[in-house]
Amino acid sequence: MSKLKGKVAVVTGASKGIGAAIAKSLGAEGASVVVNYASSKAGADGVVAAINAAGGKAIAVQGDVSKAADAQAIIDAAVKEYGRLDVLVNNSGVYEFAPLEEITEEHYHKQFNVNVLGLLLTTQAAAKHLGEGGSVINIGSLVTRIAPTGGSVYTATKGAVDAITAVLSRELGARKIRVNALNPGMVETEGTHSAGFIGSDFETWAVSQTPLGRIGQPNDIASIAVFLASDDSYWLTGEKLYAGGGVR
């Protein structure tokens, strides 16, 4: 518990899956963690309990990142509880796949509101408190590289995440705040199970395209997030790190 000792981190969408794994890993390395959730209080409380049981510090904070007041409240809770903010992991995200003829306004706005607007609102609130050495980690996706059929809207949101990462790395760089994107490939989570990806032909195809011969696990992504949150990555900003086992 040393890489992040004394640091405070907010992880959005951290009640399950990749977000939960990141929150636990940051806590295991010494960070005090705010575990944000939109609806799953039980899941967030479980993550907090795991971090605290392992000797870390964590609290759960409810909030919908696509609403400005909630995004601000999440960050305010971190500063109120721990007195500072060093790391923001923009992990909150939703995905739906649909072919062109089935795309609706609701389908579009649901994903852009959380995946893009939510990221901007939370980073806007956090930037007021981040200081030199601060790190913003935006969770993107390998879909921007593989362009899956039916994923035009979701892929567009993650393309926006990549673009925003590049822009904000320039805007915040003068304050020595780093902004990087961490883009996972297919990862086995509650979400990919409920969406029917696990055990499907899509999973079989994904494994066949992966040089390391399997799909990802949440901890595969969490360990990279720890690196980006720590001073070990002090000379990286504006980067897109693809975490997909070598998928090209």
Side-chain angles (χ1 to χ4, degrees):
M1 295 180 64
S2 60
K3 280 183 179 293
L4 302 175
K5 185 176 181 180
K7 294 184 182 294
V8 175
V10 168
V11 185
T12 66
S15 64
K16 59 186 178 181
I18 291 172
I22 290 174
K24 292 174 185 177
S25 292
L26 296 180
E29 288 292 344
S32 299
V33 185
V34 169
V35 176
N36 162 250
Y37 67 98
S39 58
S40 181
K41 183 178 188 302
D45 286 344
V47 174
V48 168
I51 293 171
N52 290 336
K57 295 180 181 179
I59 60 170
V61 177
Q62 194 278 334
D64 179 349
V65 296
S66 69
K67 298 177 180 178
D70 283 17
Q72 184 67 59
I74 294 163
I75 301 303
D76 288 347
V79 176
K80 180 179 179 181
E81 181 73 17
Y82 298 119
R84 58 183 295 157
L85 180 64
D86 304 281
V87 178
L88 170 63
V89 182
N90 283 309
N91 173 74
S92 287
V94 295
Y95 56 85
E96 292 179 350
F97 284 73
L100 177 61
E101 61 271 18
E102 295 179 14
I103 291 174
T104 63
E105 292 180 15
E106 180 183 10
H107 172 81
Y108 176 92
H109 289 296
K110 178 180 179 180
Q111 295 181 81
F112 266 88
N113 282 354
V114 175
N115 299 1
V116 182
L117 178 61
L119 180 152
L120 287 167
L121 292 174
T122 309
T123 307
Q124 181 184 63
K128 303 169 189 174
H129 301 283
L130 292 169
E132 183 171 341
S135 176
V136 177
I137 304 166
N138 296 326
I139 305 300
S141 175
L142 199 65
V143 293
T144 57
R145 175 172 278 180
I146 64 175
T149 300
S152 56
V153 174
Y154 178 64
T155 303
T157 69
K158 293 306 183 178
V161 170
D162 287 347
I164 291 166
T165 297
V167 172
L168 293 186
S169 70
R170 291 180 177 273
E171 287 192 19
L172 300 179
R175 294 169 51 196
K176 304 299 186 289
I177 298 168
R178 296 175 290 108
V179 186
N180 291 289
L182 171 51
N183 296 4
M186 189 176 182
V187 175
E188 183 177 7
T189 65
E190 298 92 335
T192 50
H193 271 281
S194 63
F197 291 141
I198 304 302
S200 69
D201 290 343
F202 184 76
E203 181 189 4
T204 301
W205 174 83
V207 171
S208 74
Q209 299 299 305
T210 306
L212 292 183
R214 64 174 175 86
I215 63 169
Q217 295 297 318
N219 283 336
D220 296 328
I221 311 306
S223 61
I224 303 170
V226 168
F227 166 70
L228 290 174
S230 76
D231 293 339
D232 289 345
S233 60
Y234 74 95
W235 197 232
L236 289 182
T237 194
E239 297 294 342
K240 293 179 289 185
L241 275 68
Y242 291 103
V247 174
R248 292 291 184 271

